[in-house]
mmCIF file with all atom_site columns, all heavy atoms in Angstrom:
data_model
loop_
_atom_site.group_PDB
_atom_site.id
_atom_site.type_symbol
_atom_site.label_atom_id
_atom_site.label_alt_id
_atom_site.label_comp_id
_atom_site.label_asym_id
_atom_site.label_entity_id
_atom_site.label_seq_id
_atom_site.pdbx_PDB_ins_code
_atom_site.Cartn_x
_atom_site.Cartn_y
_atom_site.Cartn_z
_atom_site.occupancy
_atom_site.B_iso_or_equiv
_atom_site.pdbx_formal_charge
_atom_site.auth_seq_id
_atom_site.auth_comp_id
_atom_site.auth_asym_id
_atom_site.auth_atom_id
_atom_site.pdbx_PDB_model_num
ATOM 1   N N   . ARG G 1 4  ? 55.223 -14.524 -14.057 1.00 52.00 ? 455 ARG G N   1
ATOM 2   C CA  . ARG G 1 4  ? 54.189 -15.393 -13.705 1.00 52.00 ? 455 ARG G CA  1
ATOM 3   C C   . ARG G 1 4  ? 53.051 -14.629 -12.963 1.00 52.00 ? 455 ARG G C   1
ATOM 4   O O   . ARG G 1 4  ? 53.303 -14.056 -11.920 1.00 52.00 ? 455 ARG G O   1
ATOM 5   C CB  . ARG G 1 4  ? 54.657 -16.506 -12.787 1.00 52.00 ? 455 ARG G CB  1
ATOM 6   C CG  . ARG G 1 4  ? 55.762 -17.410 -13.579 1.00 52.00 ? 455 ARG G CG  1
ATOM 7   C CD  . ARG G 1 4  ? 56.302 -18.463 -12.684 1.00 52.00 ? 455 ARG G CD  1
ATOM 8   N NE  . ARG G 1 4  ? 55.193 -19.449 -12.390 1.00 52.00 ? 455 ARG G NE  1
ATOM 9   C CZ  . ARG G 1 4  ? 55.386 -20.451 -11.503 1.00 52.00 ? 455 ARG G CZ  1
ATOM 10  N NH1 . ARG G 1 4  ? 56.428 -20.679 -10.965 1.00 52.00 ? 455 ARG G NH1 1
ATOM 11  N NH2 . ARG G 1 4  ? 54.353 -21.263 -11.339 1.00 52.00 ? 455 ARG G NH2 1
ATOM 12  N N   . THR G 1 5  ? 51.816 -14.672 -13.482 1.00 48.00 ? 456 THR G N   1
ATOM 13  C CA  . THR G 1 5  ? 50.643 -13.940 -12.901 1.00 48.00 ? 456 THR G CA  1
ATOM 14  C C   . THR G 1 5  ? 49.611 -14.924 -12.392 1.00 48.00 ? 456 THR G C   1
ATOM 15  O O   . THR G 1 5  ? 48.535 -14.452 -12.120 1.00 48.00 ? 456 THR G O   1
ATOM 16  C CB  . THR G 1 5  ? 50.126 -12.941 -13.774 1.00 48.00 ? 456 THR G CB  1
ATOM 17  O OG1 . THR G 1 5  ? 49.749 -13.666 -15.024 1.00 48.00 ? 456 THR G OG1 1
ATOM 18  C CG2 . THR G 1 5  ? 51.250 -11.842 -14.223 1.00 48.00 ? 456 THR G CG2 1
ATOM 19  N N   . THR G 1 6  ? 49.809 -16.200 -12.568 1.00 52.00 ? 457 THR G N   1
ATOM 20  C CA  . THR G 1 6  ? 48.817 -17.226 -12.190 1.00 52.00 ? 457 THR G CA  1
ATOM 21  C C   . THR G 1 6  ? 48.260 -17.042 -10.772 1.00 52.00 ? 457 THR G C   1
ATOM 22  O O   . THR G 1 6  ? 47.011 -17.006 -10.564 1.00 52.00 ? 457 THR G O   1
ATOM 23  C CB  . THR G 1 6  ? 49.377 -18.582 -12.338 1.00 52.00 ? 457 THR G CB  1
ATOM 24  O OG1 . THR G 1 6  ? 49.834 -18.716 -13.666 1.00 52.00 ? 457 THR G OG1 1
ATOM 25  C CG2 . THR G 1 6  ? 48.226 -19.705 -12.185 1.00 52.00 ? 457 THR G CG2 1
ATOM 26  N N   . GLY G 1 7  ? 49.195 -16.825 -9.836  1.00 53.00 ? 458 GLY G N   1
ATOM 27  C CA  . GLY G 1 7  ? 48.678 -16.731 -8.457  1.00 53.00 ? 458 GLY G CA  1
ATOM 28  C C   . GLY G 1 7  ? 47.903 -15.455 -8.191  1.00 53.00 ? 458 GLY G C   1
ATOM 29  O O   . GLY G 1 7  ? 46.840 -15.452 -7.566  1.00 53.00 ? 458 GLY G O   1
ATOM 30  N N   . VAL G 1 8  ? 48.249 -14.397 -8.816  1.00 53.00 ? 459 VAL G N   1
ATOM 31  C CA  . VAL G 1 8  ? 47.523 -13.105 -8.705  1.00 53.00 ? 459 VAL G CA  1
ATOM 32  C C   . VAL G 1 8  ? 46.178 -13.226 -9.349  1.00 53.00 ? 459 VAL G C   1
ATOM 33  O O   . VAL G 1 8  ? 45.124 -12.812 -8.714  1.00 53.00 ? 459 VAL G O   1
ATOM 34  C CB  . VAL G 1 8  ? 48.304 -11.977 -9.376  1.00 53.00 ? 459 VAL G CB  1
ATOM 35  C CG1 . VAL G 1 8  ? 47.572 -10.696 -9.375  1.00 53.00 ? 459 VAL G CG1 1
ATOM 36  C CG2 . VAL G 1 8  ? 49.620 -11.683 -8.618  1.00 53.00 ? 459 VAL G CG2 1
ATOM 37  N N   . THR G 1 9  ? 46.035 -13.798 -10.548 1.00 68.00 ? 460 THR G N   1
ATOM 38  C CA  . THR G 1 9  ? 44.793 -14.021 -11.227 1.00 68.00 ? 460 THR G CA  1
ATOM 39  C C   . THR G 1 9  ? 43.884 -14.896 -10.390 1.00 68.00 ? 460 THR G C   1
ATOM 40  O O   . THR G 1 9  ? 42.750 -14.551 -10.269 1.00 68.00 ? 460 THR G O   1
ATOM 41  C CB  . THR G 1 9  ? 45.008 -14.617 -12.579 1.00 68.00 ? 460 THR G CB  1
ATOM 42  O OG1 . THR G 1 9  ? 45.940 -13.795 -13.324 1.00 68.00 ? 460 THR G OG1 1
ATOM 43  C CG2 . THR G 1 9  ? 43.650 -14.781 -13.323 1.00 68.00 ? 460 THR G CG2 1
ATOM 44  N N   . LYS G 1 10 ? 44.368 -15.906 -9.840  1.00 63.00 ? 461 LYS G N   1
ATOM 45  C CA  . LYS G 1 10 ? 43.571 -16.802 -8.948  1.00 63.00 ? 461 LYS G CA  1
ATOM 46  C C   . LYS G 1 10 ? 43.019 -16.117 -7.720  1.00 63.00 ? 461 LYS G C   1
ATOM 47  O O   . LYS G 1 10 ? 41.820 -16.278 -7.418  1.00 63.00 ? 461 LYS G O   1
ATOM 48  C CB  . LYS G 1 10 ? 44.421 -18.045 -8.516  1.00 63.00 ? 461 LYS G CB  1
ATOM 49  C CG  . LYS G 1 10 ? 43.612 -19.159 -7.832  1.00 63.00 ? 461 LYS G CG  1
ATOM 50  C CD  . LYS G 1 10 ? 44.475 -20.241 -7.581  1.00 63.00 ? 461 LYS G CD  1
ATOM 51  C CE  . LYS G 1 10 ? 43.668 -21.426 -6.796  1.00 63.00 ? 461 LYS G CE  1
ATOM 52  N NZ  . LYS G 1 10 ? 44.535 -22.623 -6.432  1.00 63.00 ? 461 LYS G NZ  1
ATOM 53  N N   . ARG G 1 11 ? 43.782 -15.299 -7.048  1.00 67.00 ? 462 ARG G N   1
ATOM 54  C CA  . ARG G 1 11 ? 43.388 -14.666 -5.888  1.00 67.00 ? 462 ARG G CA  1
ATOM 55  C C   . ARG G 1 11 ? 42.333 -13.547 -6.290  1.00 67.00 ? 462 ARG G C   1
ATOM 56  O O   . ARG G 1 11 ? 41.386 -13.291 -5.578  1.00 67.00 ? 462 ARG G O   1
ATOM 57  C CB  . ARG G 1 11 ? 44.577 -13.826 -5.199  1.00 67.00 ? 462 ARG G CB  1
ATOM 58  C CG  . ARG G 1 11 ? 45.529 -14.867 -4.403  1.00 67.00 ? 462 ARG G CG  1
ATOM 59  C CD  . ARG G 1 11 ? 46.395 -14.163 -3.443  1.00 67.00 ? 462 ARG G CD  1
ATOM 60  N NE  . ARG G 1 11 ? 47.394 -13.286 -4.210  1.00 67.00 ? 462 ARG G NE  1
ATOM 61  C CZ  . ARG G 1 11 ? 48.484 -13.631 -4.673  1.00 67.00 ? 462 ARG G CZ  1
ATOM 62  N NH1 . ARG G 1 11 ? 48.919 -14.895 -4.429  1.00 67.00 ? 462 ARG G NH1 1
ATOM 63  N NH2 . ARG G 1 11 ? 49.286 -12.853 -5.232  1.00 67.00 ? 462 ARG G NH2 1
ATOM 64  N N   . ALA G 1 12 ? 42.502 -12.908 -7.461  1.00 60.00 ? 463 ALA G N   1
ATOM 65  C CA  . ALA G 1 12 ? 41.580 -11.913 -7.922  1.00 60.00 ? 463 ALA G CA  1
ATOM 66  C C   . ALA G 1 12 ? 40.200 -12.519 -8.176  1.00 60.00 ? 463 ALA G C   1
ATOM 67  O O   . ALA G 1 12 ? 39.078 -12.018 -7.901  1.00 60.00 ? 463 ALA G O   1
ATOM 68  C CB  . ALA G 1 12 ? 42.071 -11.211 -9.131  1.00 60.00 ? 463 ALA G CB  1
ATOM 69  N N   . ARG G 1 13 ? 40.253 -13.769 -8.786  1.00 65.00 ? 464 ARG G N   1
ATOM 70  C CA  . ARG G 1 13 ? 38.987 -14.402 -9.110  1.00 65.00 ? 464 ARG G CA  1
ATOM 71  C C   . ARG G 1 13 ? 38.261 -14.816 -7.819  1.00 65.00 ? 464 ARG G C   1
ATOM 72  O O   . ARG G 1 13 ? 37.090 -14.726 -7.665  1.00 65.00 ? 464 ARG G O   1
ATOM 73  C CB  . ARG G 1 13 ? 39.198 -15.737 -9.941  1.00 65.00 ? 464 ARG G CB  1
ATOM 74  C CG  . ARG G 1 13 ? 39.631 -15.300 -11.362 1.00 65.00 ? 464 ARG G CG  1
ATOM 75  C CD  . ARG G 1 13 ? 39.993 -16.646 -12.140 1.00 65.00 ? 464 ARG G CD  1
ATOM 76  N NE  . ARG G 1 13 ? 40.206 -16.396 -13.561 1.00 65.00 ? 464 ARG G NE  1
ATOM 77  C CZ  . ARG G 1 13 ? 40.763 -17.283 -14.446 1.00 65.00 ? 464 ARG G CZ  1
ATOM 78  N NH1 . ARG G 1 13 ? 40.961 -18.528 -14.000 1.00 65.00 ? 464 ARG G NH1 1
ATOM 79  N NH2 . ARG G 1 13 ? 41.011 -16.925 -15.585 1.00 65.00 ? 464 ARG G NH2 1
ATOM 80  N N   . GLN G 1 14 ? 39.025 -15.286 -6.864  1.00 67.00 ? 465 GLN G N   1
ATOM 81  C CA  . GLN G 1 14 ? 38.482 -15.695 -5.556  1.00 67.00 ? 465 GLN G CA  1
ATOM 82  C C   . GLN G 1 14 ? 37.822 -14.470 -4.878  1.00 67.00 ? 465 GLN G C   1
ATOM 83  O O   . GLN G 1 14 ? 36.784 -14.617 -4.290  1.00 67.00 ? 465 GLN G O   1
ATOM 84  C CB  . GLN G 1 14 ? 39.541 -16.308 -4.645  1.00 67.00 ? 465 GLN G CB  1
ATOM 85  C CG  . GLN G 1 14 ? 40.084 -17.608 -5.034  1.00 67.00 ? 465 GLN G CG  1
ATOM 86  C CD  . GLN G 1 14 ? 41.297 -18.209 -4.231  1.00 67.00 ? 465 GLN G CD  1
ATOM 87  O OE1 . GLN G 1 14 ? 41.909 -17.475 -3.533  1.00 67.00 ? 465 GLN G OE1 1
ATOM 88  N NE2 . GLN G 1 14 ? 41.425 -19.523 -4.230  1.00 67.00 ? 465 GLN G NE2 1
ATOM 89  N N   . ALA G 1 15 ? 38.544 -13.361 -4.866  1.00 57.00 ? 466 ALA G N   1
ATOM 90  C CA  . ALA G 1 15 ? 37.980 -12.111 -4.344  1.00 57.00 ? 466 ALA G CA  1
ATOM 91  C C   . ALA G 1 15 ? 36.774 -11.670 -4.967  1.00 57.00 ? 466 ALA G C   1
ATOM 92  O O   . ALA G 1 15 ? 35.748 -11.368 -4.250  1.00 57.00 ? 466 ALA G O   1
ATOM 93  C CB  . ALA G 1 15 ? 39.033 -10.955 -4.402  1.00 57.00 ? 466 ALA G CB  1
ATOM 94  N N   . ILE G 1 16 ? 36.713 -11.813 -6.260  1.00 65.00 ? 467 ILE G N   1
ATOM 95  C CA  . ILE G 1 16 ? 35.387 -11.340 -7.040  1.00 65.00 ? 467 ILE G CA  1
ATOM 96  C C   . ILE G 1 16 ? 34.269 -12.390 -6.613  1.00 65.00 ? 467 ILE G C   1
ATOM 97  O O   . ILE G 1 16 ? 33.122 -11.974 -6.453  1.00 65.00 ? 467 ILE G O   1
ATOM 98  C CB  . ILE G 1 16 ? 35.691 -11.404 -8.534  1.00 65.00 ? 467 ILE G CB  1
ATOM 99  C CG1 . ILE G 1 16 ? 36.664 -10.283 -8.929  1.00 65.00 ? 467 ILE G CG1 1
ATOM 100 C CG2 . ILE G 1 16 ? 34.413 -11.329 -9.285  1.00 65.00 ? 467 ILE G CG2 1
ATOM 101 C CD1 . ILE G 1 16 ? 37.147 -10.375 -10.334 1.00 65.00 ? 467 ILE G CD1 1
ATOM 102 N N   . PHE G 1 17 ? 34.544 -13.680 -6.473  1.00 59.00 ? 468 PHE G N   1
ATOM 103 C CA  . PHE G 1 17 ? 33.590 -14.669 -6.227  1.00 59.00 ? 468 PHE G CA  1
ATOM 104 C C   . PHE G 1 17 ? 33.003 -14.415 -4.743  1.00 59.00 ? 468 PHE G C   1
ATOM 105 O O   . PHE G 1 17 ? 31.852 -14.409 -4.559  1.00 59.00 ? 468 PHE G O   1
ATOM 106 C CB  . PHE G 1 17 ? 34.276 -16.087 -6.288  1.00 59.00 ? 468 PHE G CB  1
ATOM 107 C CG  . PHE G 1 17 ? 33.325 -17.131 -5.862  1.00 59.00 ? 468 PHE G CG  1
ATOM 108 C CD1 . PHE G 1 17 ? 32.263 -17.508 -6.806  1.00 59.00 ? 468 PHE G CD1 1
ATOM 109 C CD2 . PHE G 1 17 ? 33.438 -17.853 -4.698  1.00 59.00 ? 468 PHE G CD2 1
ATOM 110 C CE1 . PHE G 1 17 ? 31.391 -18.542 -6.437  1.00 59.00 ? 468 PHE G CE1 1
ATOM 111 C CE2 . PHE G 1 17 ? 32.448 -18.886 -4.344  1.00 59.00 ? 468 PHE G CE2 1
ATOM 112 C CZ  . PHE G 1 17 ? 31.449 -19.194 -5.283  1.00 59.00 ? 468 PHE G CZ  1
ATOM 113 N N   . VAL G 1 18 ? 33.950 -14.097 -3.891  1.00 54.00 ? 469 VAL G N   1
ATOM 114 C CA  . VAL G 1 18 ? 33.484 -13.774 -2.477  1.00 54.00 ? 469 VAL G CA  1
ATOM 115 C C   . VAL G 1 18 ? 32.617 -12.548 -2.439  1.00 54.00 ? 469 VAL G C   1
ATOM 116 O O   . VAL G 1 18 ? 31.614 -12.483 -1.768  1.00 54.00 ? 469 VAL G O   1
ATOM 117 C CB  . VAL G 1 18 ? 34.669 -13.556 -1.526  1.00 54.00 ? 469 VAL G CB  1
ATOM 118 C CG1 . VAL G 1 18 ? 34.244 -13.109 -0.185  1.00 54.00 ? 469 VAL G CG1 1
ATOM 119 C CG2 . VAL G 1 18 ? 35.431 -15.018 -1.379  1.00 54.00 ? 469 VAL G CG2 1
ATOM 120 N N   . LEU G 1 19 ? 33.090 -11.556 -3.259  1.00 63.00 ? 470 LEU G N   1
ATOM 121 C CA  . LEU G 1 19 ? 32.319 -10.278 -3.361  1.00 63.00 ? 470 LEU G CA  1
ATOM 122 C C   . LEU G 1 19 ? 30.869 -10.534 -3.900  1.00 63.00 ? 470 LEU G C   1
ATOM 123 O O   . LEU G 1 19 ? 29.914 -9.999  -3.406  1.00 63.00 ? 470 LEU G O   1
ATOM 124 C CB  . LEU G 1 19 ? 33.046 -9.299  -4.116  1.00 63.00 ? 470 LEU G CB  1
ATOM 125 C CG  . LEU G 1 19 ? 32.417 -7.855  -4.297  1.00 63.00 ? 470 LEU G CG  1
ATOM 126 C CD1 . LEU G 1 19 ? 32.284 -7.242  -2.979  1.00 63.00 ? 470 LEU G CD1 1
ATOM 127 C CD2 . LEU G 1 19 ? 33.257 -7.045  -5.205  1.00 63.00 ? 470 LEU G CD2 1
ATOM 128 N N   . ALA G 1 20 ? 30.822 -11.368 -4.926  1.00 56.00 ? 471 ALA G N   1
ATOM 129 C CA  . ALA G 1 20 ? 29.512 -11.699 -5.561  1.00 56.00 ? 471 ALA G CA  1
ATOM 130 C C   . ALA G 1 20 ? 28.569 -12.413 -4.556  1.00 56.00 ? 471 ALA G C   1
ATOM 131 O O   . ALA G 1 20 ? 27.441 -12.043 -4.503  1.00 56.00 ? 471 ALA G O   1
ATOM 132 C CB  . ALA G 1 20 ? 29.717 -12.529 -6.912  1.00 56.00 ? 471 ALA G CB  1
ATOM 133 N N   . LEU G 1 21 ? 29.169 -13.300 -3.783  1.00 59.00 ? 472 LEU G N   1
ATOM 134 C CA  . LEU G 1 21 ? 28.329 -14.071 -2.848  1.00 59.00 ? 472 LEU G CA  1
ATOM 135 C C   . LEU G 1 21 ? 27.829 -13.081 -1.745  1.00 59.00 ? 472 LEU G C   1
ATOM 136 O O   . LEU G 1 21 ? 26.640 -13.162 -1.274  1.00 59.00 ? 472 LEU G O   1
ATOM 137 C CB  . LEU G 1 21 ? 29.242 -15.178 -2.190  1.00 59.00 ? 472 LEU G CB  1
ATOM 138 C CG  . LEU G 1 21 ? 29.422 -16.361 -3.019  1.00 59.00 ? 472 LEU G CG  1
ATOM 139 C CD1 . LEU G 1 21 ? 30.346 -17.340 -2.149  1.00 59.00 ? 472 LEU G CD1 1
ATOM 140 C CD2 . LEU G 1 21 ? 28.203 -17.022 -3.332  1.00 59.00 ? 472 LEU G CD2 1
ATOM 141 N N   . ALA G 1 22 ? 28.645 -12.158 -1.235  1.00 51.00 ? 473 ALA G N   1
ATOM 142 C CA  . ALA G 1 22 ? 28.274 -11.213 -0.263  1.00 51.00 ? 473 ALA G CA  1
ATOM 143 C C   . ALA G 1 22 ? 27.142 -10.304 -0.874  1.00 51.00 ? 473 ALA G C   1
ATOM 144 O O   . ALA G 1 22 ? 26.203 -9.965  -0.131  1.00 51.00 ? 473 ALA G O   1
ATOM 145 C CB  . ALA G 1 22 ? 29.479 -10.348 0.139   1.00 51.00 ? 473 ALA G CB  1
ATOM 146 N N   . LEU G 1 23 ? 27.306 -9.917  -2.075  1.00 60.00 ? 474 LEU G N   1
ATOM 147 C CA  . LEU G 1 23 ? 26.205 -9.069  -2.773  1.00 60.00 ? 474 LEU G CA  1
ATOM 148 C C   . LEU G 1 23 ? 24.914 -9.784  -2.844  1.00 60.00 ? 474 LEU G C   1
ATOM 149 O O   . LEU G 1 23 ? 23.891 -9.278  -2.481  1.00 60.00 ? 474 LEU G O   1
ATOM 150 C CB  . LEU G 1 23 ? 26.705 -8.561  -4.198  1.00 60.00 ? 474 LEU G CB  1
ATOM 151 C CG  . LEU G 1 23 ? 25.792 -7.672  -4.895  1.00 60.00 ? 474 LEU G CG  1
ATOM 152 C CD1 . LEU G 1 23 ? 25.579 -6.343  -4.131  1.00 60.00 ? 474 LEU G CD1 1
ATOM 153 C CD2 . LEU G 1 23 ? 26.354 -7.414  -6.266  1.00 60.00 ? 474 LEU G CD2 1
ATOM 154 N N   . LEU G 1 24 ? 25.031 -11.082 -3.248  1.00 57.00 ? 475 LEU G N   1
ATOM 155 C CA  . LEU G 1 24 ? 23.749 -11.926 -3.303  1.00 57.00 ? 475 LEU G CA  1
ATOM 156 C C   . LEU G 1 24 ? 23.134 -12.064 -1.927  1.00 57.00 ? 475 LEU G C   1
ATOM 157 O O   . LEU G 1 24 ? 21.899 -11.924 -1.711  1.00 57.00 ? 475 LEU G O   1
ATOM 158 C CB  . LEU G 1 24 ? 23.998 -13.192 -3.792  1.00 57.00 ? 475 LEU G CB  1
ATOM 159 C CG  . LEU G 1 24 ? 24.358 -13.340 -5.339  1.00 57.00 ? 475 LEU G CG  1
ATOM 160 C CD1 . LEU G 1 24 ? 24.884 -14.742 -5.731  1.00 57.00 ? 475 LEU G CD1 1
ATOM 161 C CD2 . LEU G 1 24 ? 23.138 -12.872 -6.138  1.00 57.00 ? 475 LEU G CD2 1
ATOM 162 N N   . ALA G 1 25 ? 23.854 -12.145 -0.923  1.00 48.00 ? 476 ALA G N   1
ATOM 163 C CA  . ALA G 1 25 ? 23.407 -12.438 0.440   1.00 48.00 ? 476 ALA G CA  1
ATOM 164 C C   . ALA G 1 25 ? 22.745 -11.092 0.982   1.00 48.00 ? 476 ALA G C   1
ATOM 165 O O   . ALA G 1 25 ? 21.703 -11.134 1.586   1.00 48.00 ? 476 ALA G O   1
ATOM 166 C CB  . ALA G 1 25 ? 24.631 -12.814 1.356   1.00 48.00 ? 476 ALA G CB  1
ATOM 167 N N   . PHE G 1 26 ? 23.350 -9.988  0.545   1.00 48.00 ? 477 PHE G N   1
ATOM 168 C CA  . PHE G 1 26 ? 22.876 -8.653  0.987   1.00 48.00 ? 477 PHE G CA  1
ATOM 169 C C   . PHE G 1 26 ? 21.540 -8.354  0.319   1.00 48.00 ? 477 PHE G C   1
ATOM 170 O O   . PHE G 1 26 ? 20.542 -7.909  0.959   1.00 48.00 ? 477 PHE G O   1
ATOM 171 C CB  . PHE G 1 26 ? 23.871 -7.525  0.619   1.00 48.00 ? 477 PHE G CB  1
ATOM 172 C CG  . PHE G 1 26 ? 23.315 -6.232  0.954   1.00 48.00 ? 477 PHE G CG  1
ATOM 173 C CD1 . PHE G 1 26 ? 23.414 -5.636  2.267   1.00 48.00 ? 477 PHE G CD1 1
ATOM 174 C CD2 . PHE G 1 26 ? 22.886 -5.374  -0.020  1.00 48.00 ? 477 PHE G CD2 1
ATOM 175 C CE1 . PHE G 1 26 ? 22.893 -4.419  2.433   1.00 48.00 ? 477 PHE G CE1 1
ATOM 176 C CE2 . PHE G 1 26 ? 22.335 -4.159  0.136   1.00 48.00 ? 477 PHE G CE2 1
ATOM 177 C CZ  . PHE G 1 26 ? 22.414 -3.644  1.476   1.00 48.00 ? 477 PHE G CZ  1
ATOM 178 N N   . THR G 1 27 ? 21.469 -8.776  -1.011  1.00 50.00 ? 478 THR G N   1
ATOM 179 C CA  . THR G 1 27 ? 20.218 -8.566  -1.766  1.00 50.00 ? 478 THR G CA  1
ATOM 180 C C   . THR G 1 27 ? 19.142 -9.410  -1.143  1.00 50.00 ? 478 THR G C   1
ATOM 181 O O   . THR G 1 27 ? 17.993 -8.905  -1.013  1.00 50.00 ? 478 THR G O   1
ATOM 182 C CB  . THR G 1 27 ? 20.469 -8.864  -3.206  1.00 50.00 ? 478 THR G CB  1
ATOM 183 O OG1 . THR G 1 27 ? 21.472 -8.034  -3.706  1.00 50.00 ? 478 THR G OG1 1
ATOM 184 C CG2 . THR G 1 27 ? 19.160 -8.682  -4.041  1.00 50.00 ? 478 THR G CG2 1
#
Side-chain angles (χ1 to χ4, degrees):
R455 298 181 64 182
T456 59
T457 304
V459 175
T460 302
K461 186 177 181 180
R462 286 196 296 272
R464 288 177 179 173
Q465 289 176 338
I467 293 172
F468 180 70
V469 171
L470 183 61
L472 286 178
L474 181 60
L475 286 173
F477 176 78
T478 302

